[in-house]
Amino acid sequence: MQKRAIYDSKLLPYLLLLPQLAIVLIFFYWPASQAVYQSFLLEDAFGLHSEFVWFENFEHLFKEPDYWRSFVVTAVFSIAVAALSLSLALLFAVMADRQIRGANAYKTFMIWPYAVAPAVAGVLWLFMFQPSLGVVAQFIRGLGIEWNPLLNGTHAMVLVVMAATWKQISYNFLFFLAGLQSIPRSVIEAAAIDGAGATRRFWTIVFPLLSPTAFFLLVVNVVYVFFDTFGIIDAVTLGGPSKATSTLVYKVYDDGRAGANLGSSAAQSVVLMVMVIALTAIQFKYIERKVHY
Amino acid sequence: MVEKRPLSNLVAHLVLLTGIFVVAFPVYLTFVASTREASDIAAGSMPLIPGSLLVENYERALFAGSGRVTTTPVSIMMINSLVMALSIAIGKIAISIISAYAIVYFRFPLRMTFFWLIFITLMLPVEVRIFPTYKIVADLGLLDSFAGLTIPLIASATATLLFRQFFLTIPDELVEASKIDGAGPLRFFWDTVVPLSRTNMAALFVILFIYGWNQYLWPLLITTSGSMETIIIGIKRMVVTSDAATEWHLVMATAMLAMLPPVAVVLLMQRWFVKGLVDTEK
């Protein structure tokens, strides 16, 4: 789509684009290309010499059991958060979509956790579940269940999943509610006249019509877990205990900060970039489809 | 729904109330802890009703800082966070709206190349280029400065795309009329495009303010001195030390203060917030 009426100016458009382009080139493209370049270099221990080694960093990386482990951690984390936050949000959205009084008030009470910083969400949940002083932790222990997220990797994962889910429900809820409200009433009424009960209507009409929203949210949730949960993990577990909650992004940060292996950290960044490109491509492919509907 | 069934409506209310309870409980507990003495919390058997130290705890957190761990008072951190959030939100809106204007209303060589250059940055979030970006900011001497905190985050493909989409819906007749009146491109931008974009700006502002206020990884790398700490980083630094030294009542007061501005923005500007969320995900 193009404008018919446009301006003729040789210099002005470049001046208008300059600030954005300058930032993009200096702080996006240059560092990204540095990451790609460094991923092919092997530095010696003092950082004095570096050698071009082609794919050696990647070969080492994929031989590293820790790296595979952080893939598994990221996968478990993503699946758990996406499944929990999508299903809970759908449940709440379906309940709020019934034309009951106070639906808008419920919406207001549901959406605000979106505004809470991931790191703060992490601290809140850590406070509840901290084994020695957490109120909920004490309650769980009172029931005779062993609970120590600071030492037990599974418990730590459960804790970060809960904190990440808590923050994400509001987002999914809003989109599900909007999706539900856009389903024409006439379709549902027609099904009701045909004798379909509420449950049957949900599974045969509402749910299929919601599936584009659900798929879109699934992709967004995976991106969220990949990148935006860094704060939660850093605040609650620091990737521990013994790397049980060290996701791919956390590992890039951890390895690079220790400074021990810039080549490996850069190679990890490149792998992540490829994954982001894939996720974005999926997202846009879906958006294309939505336009045709 | 279609049928009137009081029982299922009751169930719906109960489910929603449970949901709200679960969503609100962590914050309620945080509030309770922020009004109590350190010893109440450390015992692990904190009562679930607010204590009496509301004013003292908040006063101490805001103006004195948590003595044992960090010394920066929370009021300084909040100012830092506010400056950062506002600079990022306003900066992103400003540079995106002018670049979208250039791309939509002018024809010039490399126009689409520039558009794609901006667009592709969607696929390069800070997290995948942490250390090279840090190195550039360090080389430019921008560590521990607001410029270093904000400028690298100000580019925005999302906002540029959003404004571009919106400009394409502005009728061409408006430009033609403005040309007939003898107004140039900048005049048209100020007098017509900017006022028409107000709704989009408000919606973007809400989302970007929250984004800026809640930044974590970037300030963690860029700030080293206490006086530049943002409140989100400050909370984290208060908790890192061993459990015994963490002054949870002050941490929790700080957490309440850290949640207050973005949550207030969402609740007060709810309509813009919803629009912003939906728009920025297109």
Side-chain angles (χ1 to χ4, degrees), chain B residues 217-239:
Chain B
L217 176 59
W218 189 243
L220 190 65
L221 293 169
I222 299 300
T223 64
T224 50
S225 80
S227 63
M228 283 299 296
E229 252 172 26
T230 65
I231 189 163
I232 310 293
I233 302 295
I235 293 177
K236 168 64 182 22
R237 296 217 169 119
M238 288 180 187
V239 186

Side-chain angles (χ1 to χ4, degrees), chain A residues 42-169:
Chain A
L42 194 61
E43 275 191 15
D44 66 15
F46 306 101
L48 297 173
H49 293 283
S50 51
E51 196 190 335
F52 196 80
V53 292
W54 289 106
F55 292 98
E56 213 173 283
N57 283 324
F58 291 93
E59 274 169 40
H60 282 298
L61 190 60
F62 285 112
K63 277 181 197 152
E64 214 182 291
D66 265 2
Y67 192 55
W68 288 110
R69 191 151 169 230
S70 71
F71 262 103
V72 175
V73 166
T74 312
V76 171
F77 191 22
S78 317
I79 293 168
V81 172
L84 266 176
S85 65
L86 284 173
S87 48
L88 285 173
L90 181 60
L91 173 69
F92 295 144
V94 168
M95 294 299 158
D97 183 47
R98 290 156 176 260
Q99 291 149 347
I100 48 177
R101 252 175 285 166
N104 265 326
Y106 283 127
K107 192 166 144 190
T108 307
F109 279 112
M110 277 296 197
I111 58 174
W112 58 267
Y114 177 86
V116 176
V120 175
V123 171
L124 260 52
W125 283 78
L126 179 64
F127 180 66
M128 286 196 290
F129 284 91
Q130 212 268 4
S132 60
L133 53 80
V135 172
V136 183
Q138 293 288 335
F139 177 75
I140 296 174
R141 291 187 150 193
L143 296 177
I145 301 165
E146 187 211 348
W147 171 258
N148 194 340
L150 304 181
L151 297 174
N152 181 316
T154 314
H155 295 175
M157 178 56 95
V158 171
L159 182 53
V160 289
V161 165
M162 287 193 294
T165 305
W166 177 76
K167 230 195 93 51
Q168 192 62 9
I169 286 179

Side-chain angles (χ1 to χ4, degrees), chain A residues 3 26-27 42 50 112 115 127 190 205 209 218 223 259 276:
Chain A
K3 286 272 175 197
I26 298 172
F27 296 110
L42 194 61
S50 51
W112 58 267
F127 180 66
I205 298 173
L209 285 173
L218 182 67
V223 174
V276 184

